[in-house]
Amino acid sequence: MAQTTFAGPVRSLGGFISAGSTSFVSLTADTTITAAAHAGKVLLCNDADGVFTLPSIVTTTPGDPTDPGQLNNLGMSFTFIVVTAATDMDIKTDGTDKFLGMVYTGITTAATGKIWVSDVSSNDVITQNGSTKGGVAGSVVRVTAIASAKYLVEGTLLGSGTLATPFADS
């Protein structure tokens, strides 16, 4: 089935199933993420030092909210799963958009993990290094465009050692 656009709410009494070979995208090199190719899909991070750049958030109110060609991209969501352990993996915005939210970093020893809260006024990069900043295989980050210049971020990172925040400014 080709891409389909609905203008009103869609209701399914039996649920929606996102499955099949096109519901996942393997990121094997630095990638500029797009709504058309990546939103709503599971993004498998297979580049240890990859840079994955999110699209700019567009909040322009369309003249016709049912127009499938509108530029407004609020609500687009991206789920990143680390498959190849990170060494210097970045999820970043265009520099204008910032992260709002938090991630939890857990470690494999008896010590407890930590919760890291982004600084919504400046943080526009999430860096994972495979240890102190998370990024061990199985780490998960989800970002969703929620407002002008604001991506909500939530995640569970797997790390080791003396933990440090994965949030940074470009």
Side-chain angles (χ1 to χ4, degrees):
M1 177 181 201
Q3 182 175 345
T4 304
T5 302
F6 298 93
V10 176
R11 181 175 175 187
S12 171
L13 299 177
F16 292 96
I17 299 171
S18 178
S21 61
T22 59
S23 62
F24 289 87
V25 177
S26 181
L27 305 175
T28 57
D30 292 358
T31 304
T32 299
I33 304 298
T34 67
H38 303 99
K41 298 186 179 189
V42 176
L43 307 177
L44 303 175
C45 301
N46 284 300
D47 183 358
D49 64 350
V51 176
F52 310 122
T53 306
L54 296 165
S56 297
I57 298 172
V58 178
T59 60
T60 305
T61 302
D64 176 3
T66 64
D67 177 8
Q70 66 176 285
L71 301 177
N72 187 303
N73 59 14
L74 286 174
M76 65 181 168
S77 186
F78 307 96
T79 302
F80 297 86
I81 299 177
V82 176
V83 176
T84 301
T87 56
D88 185 21
M89 183 182 296
D90 292 328
I91 299 169
K92 62 184 228 173
T93 73
D94 60 4
T96 299
D97 298 335
K98 306 300 181 200
F99 290 119
L100 167 70
M102 64 183 190
V103 297
Y104 170 81
T105 305
I107 55 179
T108 59
T109 65
T112 59
K114 288 191 173 190
I115 293 174
W116 306 102
V117 178
S118 67
D119 180 348
V120 72
S121 67
S122 63
N123 292 159
D124 55 5
V125 179
I126 299 169
T127 298
Q128 298 175 73
N129 63 5
S131 60
T132 59
K133 295 181 181 182
V136 172
S139 296
V140 179
V141 174
R142 181 186 342 263
V143 294
T144 304
I146 61 165
S148 177
K150 288 185 178 53
Y151 271 109
L152 175 68
V153 61
E154 54 188 328
T156 303
L157 305 179
L158 306 177
S160 64
T162 302
L163 299 178
T165 183
F167 292 108
D169 306 341
S170 58

